[in-house]
Amino acid sequence: MANDTSTTAVAESYVDGLTTFESFDLDPRLIQAIKQQGFSNPTLIQAKAIPLALQEKRDIIAKASTGSGKTAAYCIPIIQSILEDLANQSEPEHEIRSIILVPTRELSSQVTQFLEKLLVYCNKAISVANLSATYSPQVLGLILANKPEIVVSTPAKLIAILEANQSVVNLKHVRSMTIDEVDLILSYGYMDDLDKLENFLLVKKNNLQIFLMSATVNDDLNELKAKFCTKPAILKLNDDTARDKKLVQYYVRTSEFDKFLLTYVIFKLSLIKGKTLVFVNNIDRGYRLKLFMEQFGIRCCVLNSELPINSRLHIVEEFNKNVYNLLIATDETNDFTVERDEDDEEMEEAKPEEPKKGAKKDREYGVSRGVDFRNVACVLNFDLPTTSRSYIHRVGRTARAGKSGMALSFVIPGKEFNKHKASALASTKRDEKVLKRVVKSQLKLGFEIKPYSFDMKQVEGFRYRAEDGFRAVTATAIREARIKELKNELLNSEKLKRHFEENPQDLISLRHDKELHPSRVQTHLKRVPDYLLPAGARKDTAHKIGFVPFQKKVAKRKGKKSTRKSDPLKTFKARK
Ligand SMILES: Nc1ncnc2c1ncn2[C@@H]1O[C@H](COP(=O)(O)OP(=O)(O)OP(=O)(O)O)[C@@H](O)[C@H]1O
């Protein structure tokens, strides 16, 4: 399918103003749908990948930063190629012509929805099916019998369906295969699924056009090329991010308990304007943090692999519609590749947390990669991820599509590890090592991640209340909250399922941030007495409650002009 390998390395700017979608000679129905999405010009990865895929029929391996438009970079050529195939057939038949593989069910749903938006004017010439959705066998049978031209799925789900429906599913007409987040798909746990897929789809023998996309494809691409491609075009769009990605990143060295104290102060005093996505490293942490915040009347919802898929998708939709401002998402180190640096001793492979007995975890849950969160002002790594790769994807949930964003990460220094048992977390033992790798990988991408220091004198006044609130969240309370939330969401999920079936276009705003209340409720904690507020935010100036200065004043060095940017928590404003 492709000529010689060529590597294109260009500085990435968000949208390529010199190119238009019309210049790709696309079907007018596709152009109209693209315009309807508000895409005036292609992003750079699109401007590079689409003509290579359409005019030169090249396989594409693309590494481009998070939020740079990779999804459209493969969806547009896939749709255009199918429209061209159908136009060349006297009696076009419905057949499966393209397979798109993604690592999570959340991403499978999102890519399907995006494709449906691009197909809106193709009046059923092409249909798309999300095989990762929960269908009854009868409904699934009907969907497969209709032979959707494009199927989107996680590898495991596609294999299961192919094995169970060999007679129904015919892959003879498949012309392209896409693997989004390819580095994750090729890592822990997915590889054998891909090997099984070979039994149904001889990728290389059938000369399929291949799209392999990720923000973190590692530079050794030989395995990818050998396994899937003949001679791909390799697009490595390095980030000139200092100028283009408008992402400011900070880390705070703090103690295990002070993570909770600082989070309380940040959200109670609205130091961050706009939506915040908080990542924690396991489900219990998510509930502990949610119950802790509830003590102070701070409402938030949790997202984790135990919740039913309908609820998870609805929570992401509602968060994107600004129904919630604060979402605590569990990211269970689903990036199992081990990262080694020259100076780093062997690190044991991060394995998924074993499910609690009786709890069922969806291995195909994940929102730290690929999911297109809208207008997130800040990503807070309450727990630092275990790899710099996971870090890139987590902070990539903000500053997307050219918008500005901030990332703030709590780091536990070695000497603080395990000092406060109730709030300690095993993965933080490696925080300093992970931070070192994160700083290095960010520098390579043209980013700088800066230390941020709170003025702990001002924060101290809140310690007593934070300790009070923390004590109320007992292990029993967390366990009960987990069970209660699961019951709530299973009920919601049933309602959602029934409602979606009856009203597919309608999204009822089921609340997912109800207070769980199993822990002791201390109403006095919900307000902040005036004496605790910094002078700049007292009653007489109550309207200024957000952006109160909490950063430690750094004494200006003699003679040297302070290069420190103004306080991000004080002045940070998410660009509209
Ligand atoms: N040409 C375009 N013009 C304007 N906005 C665009 C364009 N292409 C994509 N977008 C928007 O940019 C956002 C990010 O796109 P997308 O999710 O495809 O990024 P990505 O590169 O896949 O990110 P990730 O690496 O996190 O998966 C989306 O909201 C999308 O609607």
Side-chain angles (χ1 to χ4, degrees):
M1 290 296 280
N3 317 323
D4 56 334
T5 304
S6 66
T7 299
T8 315
V10 285
E12 174 173 8
S13 65
Y14 177 65
V15 174
D16 180 343
L18 301 177
T19 311
T20 62
F21 284 104
E22 286 75 3
S23 66
F24 301 143
D25 201 15
L26 298 175
D27 184 295
R29 294 168 289 181
L30 185 49
I31 290 276
Q32 198 179 347
I34 291 169
K35 296 293 172 209
Q36 191 161 321
Q37 288 305 303
F39 297 2
S40 51
N41 297 82
T43 64
L44 191 67
I45 180 65
Q46 293 161 10
K48 296 288 167 201
I50 294 173
L52 281 168
L54 288 177
Q55 282 124 36
E56 299 183 33
K57 300 294 175 205
R58 303 285 292 278
D59 295 340
I60 305 287
I61 299 182
K63 174 179 180 180
S65 73
T66 51
S68 59
K70 291 188 290 298
T71 312
Y74 64 79
C75 288
I76 290 173
I78 286 172
I79 293 174
Q80 179 62 24
S81 301
I82 294 175
L83 288 171
E84 287 169 4
D85 284 355
L86 294 174
N88 295 334
Q89 289 167 12
S90 51
E91 284 165 28
E93 303 255 316
H94 285 299
E95 295 292 354
I96 298 180
R97 298 172 189 272
S98 182
I99 291 175
I100 298 174
L101 297 176
V102 293
T104 65
R105 300 173 75 182
E106 283 80 2
L107 195 48
S108 192
S109 167
Q110 176 188 288
V111 170
T112 304
Q113 289 177 35
F114 182 64
L115 281 162
E116 283 165 346
K117 289 174 188 160
L118 292 183
L119 291 167
V120 70
Y121 298 110
C122 294
N123 49 33
K124 299 279 167 257
I126 300 179
S127 68
V128 53
N130 171 18
L131 299 187
S132 280
T134 35
Y135 295 117
S136 64
Q138 298 72 13
V139 171
L140 179 64
L142 271 176
I143 289 172
L144 294 173
N146 288 340
K147 298 184 179 173
E149 276 69 24
I150 305 172
V151 295
V152 189
S153 177
T154 54
K157 192 65 188 288
L158 177 62
I159 300 294
I161 289 175
L162 292 175
E163 283 170 346
N165 301 278
Q166 294 198 31
S167 55
V168 176
V169 183
N170 165 7
L171 299 182
K172 278 208 306 297
H173 301 271
V174 173
R175 292 288 168 270
S176 76
M177 183 173 85
T178 302
I179 306 182
D180 199 351
E181 308 300 344
V182 61
D183 55 316
L184 179 63
I185 293 265
L186 292 186
S187 67
Y188 178 88
Y190 290 99
M191 250 343 258
D192 39 359
D193 293 334
L194 284 182
D195 292 338
K196 278 187 207 154
L197 186 59
E198 289 281 310
N199 302 332
F200 300 94
L201 184 66
L202 299 173
V203 171
K204 288 190 78 166
K205 187 165 155 304
N206 297 349
N207 219 357
L208 302 189
Q209 183 167 24
I210 300 296
F211 296 88
L212 305 178
M213 321 294 276
S214 177
T216 52
V217 185
N218 50 29
D219 293 341
D220 168 17
L221 302 171
N222 296 325
E223 180 191 359
L224 288 180
K225 283 190 281 190
K227 194 162 187 57
F228 299 108
C229 307
T230 41
K231 288 183 182 161
I234 297 176
L235 300 176
K236 288 185 184 177
L237 302 182
N238 307 313
D239 281 345
D240 183 1
T241 53
R243 188 165 36 83
D244 302 313
K245 199 161 160 82
K246 304 190 190 68
L247 174 64
V248 286
Q249 303 177 59
Y250 295 88
Y251 68 88
V252 181
R253 279 200 173 87
T254 183
S255 70
E256 289 155 333
F257 176 77
D258 284 8
K259 279 182 172 181
F260 289 85
L261 170 60
L262 293 175
T263 305
Y264 159 41
V265 169
I266 288 171
F267 293 109
K268 194 63 189 172
L269 301 187
S270 312
L271 298 186
I272 292 170
K273 205 85 186 149
K275 291 192 295 188
T276 301
L277 182 54
V278 180
F279 281 110
V280 293
N281 284 2
N282 72 45
I283 297 177
D284 267 355
R285 294 285 276 188
Y287 285 106
R288 180 183 289 282
L289 186 55
K290 173 181 166 76
L291 294 179
F292 172 76
M293 304 274 261
E294 274 181 12
Q295 290 288 315
F296 308 102
I298 304 166
R299 295 191 70 167
C300 50
C301 38
V302 291
L303 197 51
N304 60 57
S305 59
E306 272 181 352
L307 300 179
I309 181 70
N310 288 336
S311 300
R312 289 168 11 209
L313 297 179
H314 198 232
I315 289 168
V316 173
E317 304 251 4
E318 299 291 280
F319 186 63
N320 277 345
K321 285 160 54 181
N322 307 328
V323 171
Y324 315 116
N325 243 358
L326 185 50
L327 175 54
I328 300 173
T330 302
D331 175 23
E332 293 159 84
T333 56
N334 60 2
D335 181 348
F336 303 105
T337 43
V338 179
E339 282 182 331
R340 281 186 203 85
D341 298 326
E342 330 40 89
D343 58 348
D344 211 351
E345 77 272 4
E346 185 83 3
M347 290 177 62
E348 73 282 0
E349 185 132 316
K351 287 250 189 313
E353 181 201 10
E354 283 312 311
K356 289 253 181 317
K357 64 178 179 309
K360 200 163 68 59
K361 293 169 88 174
D362 183 348
R363 187 178 73 110
E364 296 176 343
Y365 155 81
V367 291
S368 63
R369 271 190 182 241
V371 176
D372 186 37
F373 284 103
R374 296 295 169 91
N375 303 319
V376 170
C378 173
V379 164
L380 169 61
N381 283 311
F382 183 86
D383 297 328
L384 201 63
T386 54
T387 64
S388 60
R389 241 211 287 238
S390 297
Y391 176 90
I392 290 172
H393 286 282
R394 284 192 187 184
V395 303
R397 295 319 99 202
T398 184
R400 298 174 68 78
K403 295 186 179 68
S404 57
M406 177 176 81
L408 187 62
S409 302
F410 291 151
V411 176
I412 303 292
K415 64 180 186 337
E416 291 293 343
F417 175 67
N418 227 13
K419 268 186 154 171
H420 187 270
K421 291 272 182 279
S423 60
L425 180 75
S427 71
T428 60
K429 185 175 180 191
R430 302 202 294 240
D431 275 7
E432 286 286 6
K433 278 193 188 316
V434 174
L435 175 65
K436 218 165 74 182
R437 276 206 302 282
V438 165
V439 169
K440 206 161 86 177
S441 68
Q442 291 302 309
L443 274 179
K444 255 198 289 190
L445 292 171
F447 274 119
E448 196 200 348
I449 170 169
K450 288 181 270 198
Y452 186 90
S453 42
F454 281 84
D455 179 350
M456 290 314 284
K457 276 200 311 305
Q458 292 195 14
V459 172
E460 273 316 310
F462 294 83
R463 183 174 297 278
Y464 170 74
R465 308 164 76 76
E467 285 168 348
D468 216 2
F470 187 85
R471 260 192 303 277
V473 181
T474 62
T476 312
I478 292 170
R479 199 171 41 254
E480 284 170 6
R482 216 164 145 169
I483 293 164
K484 187 173 177 183
E485 178 78 342
L486 208 44
K487 280 191 187 132
N488 282 350
E489 289 307 336
L490 280 170
L491 187 65
N492 281 343
S493 177
E494 274 316 302
K495 269 191 228 162
L496 284 167
K497 204 156 134 247
R498 264 199 317 282
H499 189 87
F500 283 147
E501 277 158 9
E502 288 140 31
N503 316 277
Q505 296 318 310
D506 182 11
L507 274 179
I508 44 175
S509 54
L510 274 178
R511 299 298 304 189
H512 296 279
D513 60 344
K514 276 200 245 7
E515 294 197 329
L516 292 172
H517 275 329
S519 41
R520 188 162 35 96
V521 179
Q522 307 174 80
T523 43
H524 69 285
L525 290 178
K526 295 200 186 225
R527 359 168 246 98
V528 178
D530 224 31
Y531 67 84
L532 277 181
L533 293 175
R538 295 247 161 87
K539 258 254 189 305
D540 48 333
T541 54
H543 60 286
K544 284 192 204 147
I545 190 134
F547 313 110
V548 288
F550 262 79
Q551 184 178 18
K552 189 190 285 181
K553 291 273 159 290
V554 180
K556 286 205 173 17
R557 273 166 285 175
K558 290 260 172 309
K560 190 156 172 26
K561 195 167 152 311
S562 157
T563 54
R564 178 185 288 281
K565 281 200 178 138
S566 54
D567 179 349
L569 287 177
K570 178 164 144 305
T571 56
F572 174 77
K573 290 184 180 62
R575 186 180 296 276
K576 283 277 165 285

